[in-house]
Amino acid sequence: MDVTKSLTFDHADRKDIYDYIESHGIVRESDVRRTLNFEPGALGAHLSVLRREGYIRKVDDKVQVAYEKDDAEVFETDDGEGFTIRTAQQVDLEALVEAIREVAEEGTYIEAETVGEMIDHEEVVLRHNDARSRMVFVATVDDELAGWCHLDLPETAKLRHTAVLTVGLRPKFRGRGMGSRLLERGVDWARERGFEKLYNSVPATNEDAIAFLEAHGWETEAVRGDHYKIGDDYVDEMMMAVRIR
C-alpha cells in the first residue's frame, strides 16, 4: 500500500484494527485481540479482509501495515564505494533515530531534530493515517545506515499538493554524492505521486545545507528573522522550497 492511498473502511472495527496496527508499526495478533477486546474468530475475519484489501500483511505471528515494497537501488559514491537507497523499514527504527540525532547534535538542522524526536517518541518509522502520513528512505553502506530522506505528507485537502522534506547524512559519509541521490529519490517519489511543491527549513547559519539545496534547484521562499535561538544567538530561518511539477 502506498502511503498516499486513500483510507476507506466499510466497518468501524476494521478501522480500529488498522489504526492500532498503524500506530505500533508491527504488533502481535494476540496484542491486537487483547487490547481491542475481540473474539479470536472475529479478529481473524477482520484481519483477512484487511489483508485482502492490501492494508496489512502478516509476518509470522505479527501484523503490520502493508506498505508498498520497492526495489532497492544500488549506486557508487564519487570514490567508488557502493551504497544502497531503499524504503525504510520498521527494523531500521533504532539506527534511523541514531543517525538523525547524530546530525541534529551539530545544532544546525532544527527540522531534522524535530523529525528525530517524533520518530523516537512514536517508535514507528512509516505512518499513514487520517491526519498525517510520512515516507522515509534510507541510504546504507553494507549494513550501516548512512543517511535518510524524510517526507512529511499532510492529509489536509488544501495541503495535499505539498510536503516537507528533510534529508541528512552522518558526517563520515558526506561529500561523496550520497546526499544528492537521497534527495533525488525523495523528490522523484513525490513527483510521481502528484505532489507539486516541497519545503525544507534550515537556520541561516547552515550554509552547507543551503548551498546543497540551491545546487539542486531549491530557492529561498521566505526568511523568518530570529526564529531560532541556538545557544545565546538568535538565528534566521531560511524557508526553502522547490516546485517539482
Side-chain angles (χ1 to χ4, degrees), residues 88-103 112 115-117 119-120 124-126 134-139 144-150 168 170:
Q89 303 170 16
Q90 187 63 23
V91 295
D92 296 314
L93 175 64
E94 184 176 347
L96 175 62
V97 171
E98 181 181 340
I100 296 176
R101 280 179 172 168
E102 185 174 346
V103 173
V115 168
E117 290 176 351
I119 294 176
D120 186 37
V124 181
V125 174
L126 304 182
R134 67 168 169 256
M135 186 66 181
V136 183
F137 298 102
V138 292
E144 187 173 6
L145 196 148
W148 81 92
C149 179
H150 172 279
R170 298 171 63 190

mmCIF file of all heavy atoms in Angstrom, residues 88-103 112 115-117 119-120 124-126 134-139 144-150 168 170:
data_model
loop_
_atom_site.group_PDB
_atom_site.id
_atom_site.type_symbol
_atom_site.label_atom_id
_atom_site.label_comp_id
_atom_site.label_asym_id
_atom_site.label_seq_id
_atom_site.Cartn_x
_atom_site.Cartn_y
_atom_site.Cartn_z
ATOM 1 N N ALA A 88 12.687 2.859 4.052
ATOM 2 C CA ALA A 88 12.974 2.463 5.429
ATOM 3 C C ALA A 88 11.953 1.433 5.899
ATOM 4 O O ALA A 88 10.806 1.412 5.444
ATOM 5 C CB ALA A 88 12.953 3.680 6.341
ATOM 6 N N GLN A 89 12.368 0.592 6.825
ATOM 7 C CA GLN A 89 11.511 -0.434 7.399
ATOM 8 C C GLN A 89 11.484 -0.266 8.918
ATOM 9 O O GLN A 89 12.326 0.422 9.497
ATOM 10 C CB GLN A 89 12.025 -1.824 7.020
ATOM 11 C CG GLN A 89 12.145 -2.048 5.523
ATOM 12 C CD GLN A 89 12.882 -3.324 5.188
ATOM 13 O OE1 GLN A 89 13.052 -4.207 6.038
ATOM 14 N NE2 GLN A 89 13.341 -3.440 3.951
ATOM 15 N N GLN A 90 10.531 -0.927 9.538
ATOM 16 C CA GLN A 90 10.401 -0.807 10.982
ATOM 17 C C GLN A 90 11.668 -1.256 11.703
ATOM 18 O O GLN A 90 12.038 -0.701 12.737
ATOM 19 C CB GLN A 90 9.186 -1.601 11.480
ATOM 20 C CG GLN A 90 8.871 -1.416 12.951
ATOM 21 C CD GLN A 90 8.504 0.009 13.335
ATOM 22 O OE1 GLN A 90 8.073 0.783 12.492
ATOM 23 N NE2 GLN A 90 8.681 0.356 14.606
ATOM 24 N N VAL A 91 12.366 -2.238 11.138
ATOM 25 C CA VAL A 91 13.594 -2.731 11.772
ATOM 26 C C VAL A 91 14.711 -1.683 11.748
ATOM 27 O O VAL A 91 15.713 -1.832 12.453
ATOM 28 C CB VAL A 91 14.091 -4.037 11.104
ATOM 29 C CG1 VAL A 91 13.094 -5.158 11.315
ATOM 30 C CG2 VAL A 91 14.364 -3.826 9.622
ATOM 31 N N ASP A 92 14.544 -0.627 10.946
ATOM 32 C CA ASP A 92 15.549 0.443 10.875
ATOM 33 C C ASP A 92 15.378 1.476 11.972
ATOM 34 O O ASP A 92 16.172 2.421 12.057
ATOM 35 C CB ASP A 92 15.458 1.169 9.522
ATOM 36 C CG ASP A 92 15.787 0.273 8.344
ATOM 37 O OD1 ASP A 92 16.791 -0.440 8.423
ATOM 38 O OD2 ASP A 92 15.038 0.319 7.349
ATOM 39 N N LEU A 93 14.346 1.329 12.812
ATOM 40 C CA LEU A 93 13.983 2.376 13.760
ATOM 41 C C LEU A 93 15.170 2.878 14.577
ATOM 42 O O LEU A 93 15.466 4.079 14.606
ATOM 43 C CB LEU A 93 12.879 1.879 14.695
ATOM 44 C CG LEU A 93 12.471 2.836 15.822
ATOM 45 C CD1 LEU A 93 11.862 4.114 15.260
ATOM 46 C CD2 LEU A 93 11.488 2.154 16.778
ATOM 47 N N GLU A 94 15.854 2.004 15.265
ATOM 48 C CA GLU A 94 16.936 2.428 16.161
ATOM 49 C C GLU A 94 18.059 3.109 15.403
ATOM 50 O O GLU A 94 18.553 4.174 15.809
ATOM 51 C CB GLU A 94 17.470 1.210 16.934
ATOM 52 C CG GLU A 94 18.518 1.558 17.962
ATOM 53 C CD GLU A 94 18.969 0.346 18.776
ATOM 54 O OE1 GLU A 94 18.295 -0.705 18.722
ATOM 55 O OE2 GLU A 94 19.998 0.452 19.482
ATOM 56 N N ALA A 95 18.474 2.519 14.282
ATOM 57 C CA ALA A 95 19.574 3.091 13.505
ATOM 58 C C ALA A 95 19.176 4.425 12.882
ATOM 59 O O ALA A 95 19.991 5.351 12.776
ATOM 60 C CB ALA A 95 20.017 2.113 12.419
ATOM 61 N N LEU A 96 17.916 4.538 12.461
ATOM 62 C CA LEU A 96 17.429 5.779 11.871
ATOM 63 C C LEU A 96 17.447 6.910 12.888
ATOM 64 O O LEU A 96 17.943 8.005 12.614
ATOM 65 C CB LEU A 96 16.015 5.567 11.327
ATOM 66 C CG LEU A 96 15.298 6.803 10.782
ATOM 67 C CD1 LEU A 96 16.046 7.385 9.583
ATOM 68 C CD2 LEU A 96 13.859 6.445 10.394
ATOM 69 N N VAL A 97 16.922 6.663 14.073
ATOM 70 C CA VAL A 97 16.908 7.681 15.122
ATOM 71 C C VAL A 97 18.334 8.075 15.496
ATOM 72 O O VAL A 97 18.641 9.263 15.688
ATOM 73 C CB VAL A 97 16.127 7.178 16.355
ATOM 74 C CG1 VAL A 97 16.298 8.144 17.525
ATOM 75 C CG2 VAL A 97 14.646 7.017 16.016
ATOM 76 N N GLU A 98 19.213 7.100 15.569
ATOM 77 C CA GLU A 98 20.612 7.382 15.914
ATOM 78 C C GLU A 98 21.264 8.285 14.865
ATOM 79 O O GLU A 98 21.978 9.235 15.202
ATOM 80 C CB GLU A 98 21.381 6.067 16.025
ATOM 81 C CG GLU A 98 22.840 6.239 16.402
ATOM 82 C CD GLU A 98 23.585 4.910 16.492
ATOM 83 O OE1 GLU A 98 22.918 3.863 16.637
ATOM 84 O OE2 GLU A 98 24.827 4.916 16.409
ATOM 85 N N ALA A 99 21.004 8.007 13.587
ATOM 86 C CA ALA A 99 21.593 8.812 12.518
ATOM 87 C C ALA A 99 21.050 10.238 12.547
ATOM 88 O O ALA A 99 21.811 11.209 12.395
ATOM 89 C CB ALA A 99 21.305 8.166 11.163
ATOM 90 N N ILE A 100 19.745 10.379 12.738
ATOM 91 C CA ILE A 100 19.159 11.720 12.778
ATOM 92 C C ILE A 100 19.701 12.501 13.972
ATOM 93 O O ILE A 100 20.014 13.687 13.864
ATOM 94 C CB ILE A 100 17.623 11.627 12.833
ATOM 95 C CG1 ILE A 100 17.083 10.984 11.545
ATOM 96 C CG2 ILE A 100 17.013 13.017 13.009
ATOM 97 C CD1 ILE A 100 15.588 10.752 11.552
ATOM 98 N N ARG A 101 19.826 11.832 15.100
ATOM 99 C CA ARG A 101 20.360 12.506 16.283
ATOM 100 C C ARG A 101 21.801 12.947 16.067
ATOM 101 O O ARG A 101 22.200 14.031 16.510
ATOM 102 C CB ARG A 101 20.269 11.572 17.490
ATOM 103 C CG ARG A 101 18.886 11.513 18.116
ATOM 104 C CD ARG A 101 18.849 10.566 19.274
ATOM 105 N NE ARG A 101 17.584 10.628 19.999
ATOM 106 C CZ ARG A 101 17.202 9.750 20.908
ATOM 107 N NH1 ARG A 101 17.992 8.732 21.225
ATOM 108 N NH2 ARG A 101 16.038 9.879 21.513
ATOM 109 N N GLU A 102 22.585 12.133 15.386
ATOM 110 C CA GLU A 102 23.980 12.498 15.139
ATOM 111 C C GLU A 102 24.059 13.780 14.319
ATOM 112 O O GLU A 102 24.894 14.647 14.584
ATOM 113 C CB GLU A 102 24.701 11.358 14.422
ATOM 114 C CG GLU A 102 26.178 11.616 14.227
ATOM 115 C CD GLU A 102 26.919 10.428 13.646
ATOM 116 O OE1 GLU A 102 26.350 9.313 13.638
ATOM 117 O OE2 GLU A 102 28.059 10.618 13.196
ATOM 118 N N VAL A 103 23.172 13.898 13.337
ATOM 119 C CA VAL A 103 23.141 15.116 12.525
ATOM 120 C C VAL A 103 22.597 16.285 13.341
ATOM 121 O O VAL A 103 23.136 17.401 13.308
ATOM 122 C CB VAL A 103 22.289 14.888 11.260
ATOM 123 C CG1 VAL A 103 22.109 16.198 10.501
ATOM 124 C CG2 VAL A 103 22.939 13.843 10.361
ATOM 125 N N ALA A 112 15.467 18.539 11.272
ATOM 126 C CA ALA A 112 15.853 17.136 11.455
ATOM 127 C C ALA A 112 15.727 16.724 12.910
ATOM 128 O O ALA A 112 15.306 15.595 13.217
ATOM 129 C CB ALA A 112 17.289 16.934 10.967
ATOM 130 N N VAL A 115 12.140 15.911 13.529
ATOM 131 C CA VAL A 115 11.784 14.626 12.922
ATOM 132 C C VAL A 115 12.292 13.473 13.775
ATOM 133 O O VAL A 115 11.570 12.501 14.039
ATOM 134 C CB VAL A 115 12.353 14.528 11.494
ATOM 135 C CG1 VAL A 115 12.238 13.096 10.961
ATOM 136 C CG2 VAL A 115 11.641 15.502 10.564
ATOM 137 N N GLY A 116 13.527 13.567 14.219
ATOM 138 C CA GLY A 116 14.103 12.506 15.040
ATOM 139 C C GLY A 116 13.350 12.308 16.336
ATOM 140 O O GLY A 116 13.083 11.168 16.754
ATOM 141 N N GLU A 117 13.000 13.408 16.990
ATOM 142 C CA GLU A 117 12.263 13.312 18.255
ATOM 143 C C GLU A 117 10.891 12.683 18.040
ATOM 144 O O GLU A 117 10.427 11.881 18.858
ATOM 145 C CB GLU A 117 12.121 14.697 18.879
ATOM 146 C CG GLU A 117 13.437 15.268 19.415
ATOM 147 C CD GLU A 117 13.280 16.682 19.930
ATOM 148 O OE1 GLU A 117 12.192 17.271 19.715
ATOM 149 O OE2 GLU A 117 14.232 17.206 20.532
ATOM 150 N N ILE A 119 9.894 10.549 15.563
ATOM 151 C CA ILE A 119 10.001 9.121 15.260
ATOM 152 C C ILE A 119 10.379 8.341 16.504
ATOM 153 O O ILE A 119 9.837 7.264 16.769
ATOM 154 C CB ILE A 119 11.024 8.896 14.127
ATOM 155 C CG1 ILE A 119 10.509 9.500 12.821
ATOM 156 C CG2 ILE A 119 11.304 7.407 13.944
ATOM 157 C CD1 ILE A 119 11.482 9.422 11.668
ATOM 158 N N ASP A 120 11.294 8.882 17.288
ATOM 159 C CA ASP A 120 11.705 8.203 18.510
ATOM 160 C C ASP A 120 10.544 8.101 19.492
ATOM 161 O O ASP A 120 10.343 7.069 20.147
ATOM 162 C CB ASP A 120 12.870 8.966 19.147
ATOM 163 C CG ASP A 120 13.457 8.231 20.346
ATOM 164 O OD1 ASP A 120 13.536 6.994 20.313
ATOM 165 O OD2 ASP A 120 13.823 8.906 21.322
ATOM 166 N N VAL A 124 7.696 4.409 15.529
ATOM 167 C CA VAL A 124 7.174 3.898 14.262
ATOM 168 C C VAL A 124 7.888 4.650 13.143
ATOM 169 O O VAL A 124 8.018 5.871 13.199
ATOM 170 C CB VAL A 124 5.651 4.104 14.147
ATOM 171 C CG1 VAL A 124 5.140 3.531 12.831
ATOM 172 C CG2 VAL A 124 4.920 3.455 15.317
ATOM 173 N N VAL A 125 8.337 3.914 12.114
ATOM 174 C CA VAL A 125 9.096 4.546 11.033
ATOM 175 C C VAL A 125 8.172 5.183 10.001
ATOM 176 O O VAL A 125 8.182 6.390 9.794
ATOM 177 C CB VAL A 125 10.046 3.522 10.369
ATOM 178 C CG1 VAL A 125 10.735 4.139 9.152
ATOM 179 C CG2 VAL A 125 11.093 3.048 11.370
ATOM 180 N N LEU A 126 7.351 4.387 9.337
ATOM 181 C CA LEU A 126 6.421 4.903 8.341
ATOM 182 C C LEU A 126 5.060 5.110 8.988
ATOM 183 O O LEU A 126 4.670 4.364 9.886
ATOM 184 C CB LEU A 126 6.291 3.937 7.159
ATOM 185 C CG LEU A 126 7.589 3.566 6.431
ATOM 186 C CD1 LEU A 126 7.276 2.640 5.258
ATOM 187 C CD2 LEU A 126 8.337 4.795 5.951
ATOM 188 N N ARG A 134 3.839 9.792 6.601
ATOM 189 C CA ARG A 134 5.242 10.079 6.311
ATOM 190 C C ARG A 134 5.874 8.916 5.548
ATOM 191 O O ARG A 134 5.527 7.752 5.727
ATOM 192 C CB ARG A 134 6.042 10.387 7.571
ATOM 193 C CG ARG A 134 6.232 9.252 8.544
ATOM 194 C CD ARG A 134 7.299 9.643 9.600
ATOM 195 N NE ARG A 134 7.331 8.696 10.713
ATOM 196 C CZ ARG A 134 6.816 8.944 11.919
ATOM 197 N NH1 ARG A 134 6.234 10.098 12.178
ATOM 198 N NH2 ARG A 134 6.894 8.040 12.871
ATOM 199 N N MET A 135 6.819 9.288 4.705
ATOM 200 C CA MET A 135 7.608 8.332 3.945
ATOM 201 C C MET A 135 9.063 8.571 4.295
ATOM 202 O O MET A 135 9.493 9.723 4.465
ATOM 203 C CB MET A 135 7.382 8.537 2.448
ATOM 204 C CG MET A 135 8.047 7.492 1.585
ATOM 205 S SD MET A 135 7.296 5.870 1.866
ATOM 206 C CE MET A 135 8.282 4.864 0.763
ATOM 207 N N VAL A 136 9.821 7.502 4.406
ATOM 208 C CA VAL A 136 11.230 7.631 4.760
ATOM 209 C C VAL A 136 12.050 6.716 3.857
ATOM 210 O O VAL A 136 11.725 5.530 3.691
ATOM 211 C CB VAL A 136 11.492 7.248 6.231
ATOM 212 C CG1 VAL A 136 12.973 7.480 6.572
ATOM 213 C CG2 VAL A 136 10.600 8.041 7.177
ATOM 214 N N PHE A 137 13.094 7.257 3.285
ATOM 215 C CA PHE A 137 14.083 6.477 2.553
ATOM 216 C C PHE A 137 15.397 6.515 3.331
ATOM 217 O O PHE A 137 15.690 7.497 4.014
ATOM 218 C CB PHE A 137 14.304 7.041 1.148
ATOM 219 C CG PHE A 137 13.075 7.021 0.292
ATOM 220 C CD1 PHE A 137 12.338 8.183 0.082
ATOM 221 C CD2 PHE A 137 12.637 5.851 -0.298
ATOM 222 C CE1 PHE A 137 11.200 8.175 -0.689
ATOM 223 C CE2 PHE A 137 11.495 5.819 -1.084
ATOM 224 C CZ PHE A 137 10.767 6.995 -1.281
ATOM 225 N N VAL A 138 16.176 5.459 3.214
ATOM 226 C CA VAL A 138 17.477 5.421 3.881
ATOM 227 C C VAL A 138 18.557 5.026 2.893
ATOM 228 O O VAL A 138 18.307 4.314 1.917
ATOM 229 C CB VAL A 138 17.480 4.438 5.080
ATOM 230 C CG1 VAL A 138 16.584 4.943 6.197
ATOM 231 C CG2 VAL A 138 17.078 3.031 4.656
ATOM 232 N N ALA A 139 19.749 5.512 3.166
ATOM 233 C CA ALA A 139 20.941 5.086 2.442
ATOM 234 C C ALA A 139 21.762 4.214 3.379
ATOM 235 O O ALA A 139 21.953 4.569 4.550
ATOM 236 C CB ALA A 139 21.760 6.292 1.985
ATOM 237 N N GLU A 144 25.309 -0.587 7.468
ATOM 238 C CA GLU A 144 25.277 0.626 8.282
ATOM 239 C C GLU A 144 24.381 1.681 7.646
ATOM 240 O O GLU A 144 24.494 1.980 6.456
ATOM 241 C CB GLU A 144 26.690 1.182 8.454
ATOM 242 C CG GLU A 144 26.778 2.342 9.421
ATOM 243 C CD GLU A 144 28.208 2.761 9.687
ATOM 244 O OE1 GLU A 144 29.126 2.224 9.035
ATOM 245 O OE2 GLU A 144 28.406 3.635 10.552
ATOM 246 N N LEU A 145 23.480 2.255 8.449
ATOM 247 C CA LEU A 145 22.603 3.306 7.950
ATOM 248 C C LEU A 145 23.374 4.618 7.904
ATOM 249 O O LEU A 145 23.832 5.114 8.926
ATOM 250 C CB LEU A 145 21.361 3.429 8.840
ATOM 251 C CG LEU A 145 20.180 4.205 8.235
ATOM 252 C CD1 LEU A 145 18.851 3.643 8.739
ATOM 253 C CD2 LEU A 145 20.278 5.690 8.567
ATOM 254 N N ALA A 146 23.516 5.151 6.700
ATOM 255 C CA ALA A 146 24.362 6.326 6.493
ATOM 256 C C ALA A 146 23.583 7.632 6.483
ATOM 257 O O ALA A 146 24.099 8.685 6.840
ATOM 258 C CB ALA A 146 25.134 6.185 5.183
ATOM 259 N N GLY A 147 22.315 7.595 6.050
ATOM 260 C CA GLY A 147 21.539 8.815 5.948
ATOM 261 C C GLY A 147 20.093 8.519 5.649
ATOM 262 O O GLY A 147 19.693 7.369 5.479
ATOM 263 N N TRP A 148 19.293 9.571 5.564
ATOM 264 C CA TRP A 148 17.855 9.403 5.376
ATOM 265 C C TRP A 148 17.289 10.555 4.556
ATOM 266 O O TRP A 148 17.880 11.621 4.428
ATOM 267 C CB TRP A 148 17.166 9.383 6.742
ATOM 268 C CG TRP A 148 16.941 10.760 7.291
ATOM 269 C CD1 TRP A 148 15.824 11.552 7.143
ATOM 270 C CD2 TRP A 148 17.894 11.581 7.990
ATOM 271 N NE1 TRP A 148 16.013 12.783 7.726
ATOM 272 C CE2 TRP A 148 17.276 12.829 8.248
ATOM 273 C CE3 TRP A 148 19.207 11.364 8.431
ATOM 274 C CZ2 TRP A 148 17.924 13.853 8.918
ATOM 275 C CZ3 TRP A 148 19.860 12.387 9.094
ATOM 276 C CH2 TRP A 148 19.220 13.609 9.334
ATOM 277 N N CYS A 149 16.096 10.313 4.014
ATOM 278 C CA CYS A 149 15.269 11.344 3.416
ATOM 279 C C CYS A 149 13.859 11.124 3.939
ATOM 280 O O CYS A 149 13.286 10.048 3.772
ATOM 281 C CB CYS A 149 15.290 11.254 1.887
ATOM 282 S SG CYS A 149 14.259 12.506 1.076
ATOM 283 N N HIS A 150 13.306 12.137 4.599
ATOM 284 C CA HIS A 150 12.004 12.043 5.250
ATOM 285 C C HIS A 150 11.027 13.001 4.572
ATOM 286 O O HIS A 150 11.356 14.159 4.316
ATOM 287 C CB HIS A 150 12.165 12.418 6.734
ATOM 288 C CG HIS A 150 10.880 12.561 7.494
ATOM 289 N ND1 HIS A 150 10.102 13.697 7.440
ATOM 290 C CD2 HIS A 150 10.244 11.710 8.335
ATOM 291 C CE1 HIS A 150 9.047 13.546 8.224
ATOM 292 N NE2 HIS A 150 9.107 12.359 8.772
ATOM 293 N N GLY A 168 19.433 14.068 5.323
ATOM 294 C CA GLY A 168 20.663 14.228 6.081
ATOM 295 C C GLY A 168 21.560 13.020 5.974
ATOM 296 O O GLY A 168 21.101 11.891 5.752
ATOM 297 N N ARG A 170 25.063 11.195 7.945
ATOM 298 C CA ARG A 170 26.020 11.218 9.041
ATOM 299 C C ARG A 170 27.336 11.787 8.517
ATOM 300 O O ARG A 170 27.704 11.567 7.354
ATOM 301 C CB ARG A 170 26.202 9.808 9.591
ATOM 302 C CG ARG A 170 24.906 9.231 10.162
ATOM 303 C CD ARG A 170 25.044 7.775 10.512
ATOM 304 N NE ARG A 170 26.048 7.586 11.555
ATOM 305 C CZ ARG A 170 26.516 6.385 11.910
ATOM 306 N NH1 ARG A 170 26.106 5.297 11.282
ATOM 307 N NH2 ARG A 170 27.405 6.286 12.874
#
